[in-house]
Amino acid sequence: MLRRELTGFRDFFCDVCSFSYNQHDVEFISFLGKRILFFKILSSRNFAIHEATNAFSELLACSKYIALQDYRGLLLNERSFLESCLQIINLPERGLTTAKMLEHASLESVNSARLKQLYHGTSELVHHDRTEISTTLQVLFSPSPELNEEKRKKTESDLMWLIETLVDIILGQYTDDISSAFFVRKPELEFVIGKKRYKTFLSKLEGN
């Protein structure tokens, strides 16, 4: 069932894609589809329902903007995805600023400097809180920088690193909860996170 859902997602992306995609793009969109399914399944099984729903919706939007070659739209949703994952990582606390969420102890084990660089770099392009709303609207109506092939490769690489980093933290932090969410359907978990991560996940689960 999941395999069929992923195939439909990938085929639709290829049909609406506004550029000549290559094998790398197809592999990336398959990866993205699996991680979308990961958050979708979590949200449907009462794990961080609000935050996980936002996470998979924002990754879906990322796929849309990649297909449309809309750089600003992609970065807007990449930034929102990061914030949703940080909210999951910081549960049960809510209402924290992004700066405070980035201080969570679990982020000490990853390249937090790169994480912050991605976040702040995105903010500079899409965040306009300090301007008048009419100016912000003008910016949003202006043409988005095109996601050309060179920029797309880097952006896909950055997004893949971001997703994998955040998923690893969530898997490590909520091992028992995620195991319960997937209960007897753990082959689903292996499919959506990959064999290598699933093996690491099982090792940690058996060690708890």
Side-chain angles (χ1 to χ4, degrees):
M1 183 178 175
L2 287 180
R3 199 173 297 277
R4 185 175 69 249
E5 189 170 355
L6 176 64
T7 299
F9 168 76
R10 186 181 60 233
D11 289 349
F12 183 81
F13 175 88
C14 293
D15 286 344
V16 300
C17 201
S18 62
F19 56 89
S20 297
Y21 56 85
N22 55 34
Q23 185 60 31
H24 175 271
D25 295 310
V26 174
E27 290 173 0
F28 173 77
I29 209 65
S30 294
F31 157 82
L32 189 59
K34 287 180 180 180
R35 300 311 182 266
I36 289 169
L37 288 170
F38 170 71
F39 286 103
K40 179 186 175 186
I41 291 169
L42 287 182
S43 70
S44 69
R45 295 182 186 160
N46 299 321
F47 175 85
I49 299 173
H50 176 73
E51 295 82 3
T53 298
N54 285 344
F56 91 73
S57 298
E58 285 143 7
L59 285 184
L60 267 174
C62 283
S63 69
K64 168 190 172 181
Y65 289 114
I66 290 172
L68 296 175
Q69 295 181 277
D70 185 330
Y71 188 52
R72 184 195 298 125
L74 172 60
L75 291 188
L76 273 167
N77 284 280
E78 179 183 275
R79 183 176 188 271
S80 297
F81 167 73
L82 169 57
E83 290 175 332
S84 292
C85 287
L86 288 175
Q87 288 166 6
I88 293 173
I89 290 165
N90 279 271
L91 288 173
E93 291 194 71
R94 287 186 165 87
L96 300 175
T97 64
T98 304
K100 189 67 177 175
M101 289 193 292
L102 283 165
E103 295 176 0
H104 194 275
S106 64
L107 298 175
E108 294 175 0
S109 62
V110 303
N111 188 345
S112 57
R114 184 178 180 188
L115 202 62
K116 291 174 183 177
Q117 183 181 20
L118 282 175
Y119 176 79
H120 292 301
T122 301
S123 296
E124 290 175 10
L125 181 67
V126 301
H127 209 213
H128 311 289
D129 288 350
R130 290 178 293 277
T131 62
E132 294 183 7
I133 59 173
S134 60
T135 305
T136 300
L137 186 60
Q138 290 174 35
V139 171
L140 292 174
F141 267 93
S142 65
S144 172
E146 184 183 358
L147 193 60
N148 57 34
E149 184 175 1
E150 182 180 350
K151 191 180 291 183
R152 187 173 70 251
K153 285 181 179 177
K154 183 182 185 309
T155 303
E156 287 178 353
S157 175
D158 286 343
L159 182 55
M160 182 179 285
W161 178 85
L162 178 66
I163 293 169
E164 292 293 61
T165 296
L166 295 170
V167 166
D168 280 347
I169 292 171
I170 291 168
L171 287 171
Q173 188 169 328
Y174 299 105
T175 304
D176 291 335
D177 294 312
I178 291 174
S179 179
S180 297
F182 282 84
F183 44 97
V184 296
R185 297 191 180 91
K186 288 192 176 65
E188 286 186 344
L189 181 59
E190 180 179 0
F191 180 74
V192 297
I193 66 173
K195 290 183 179 180
K196 183 179 178 181
R197 277 179 172 76
Y198 182 66
K199 185 176 180 180
T200 301
F201 176 82
L202 284 184
S203 296
K204 189 172 189 305
L205 183 64
E206 291 165 359
N208 284 353

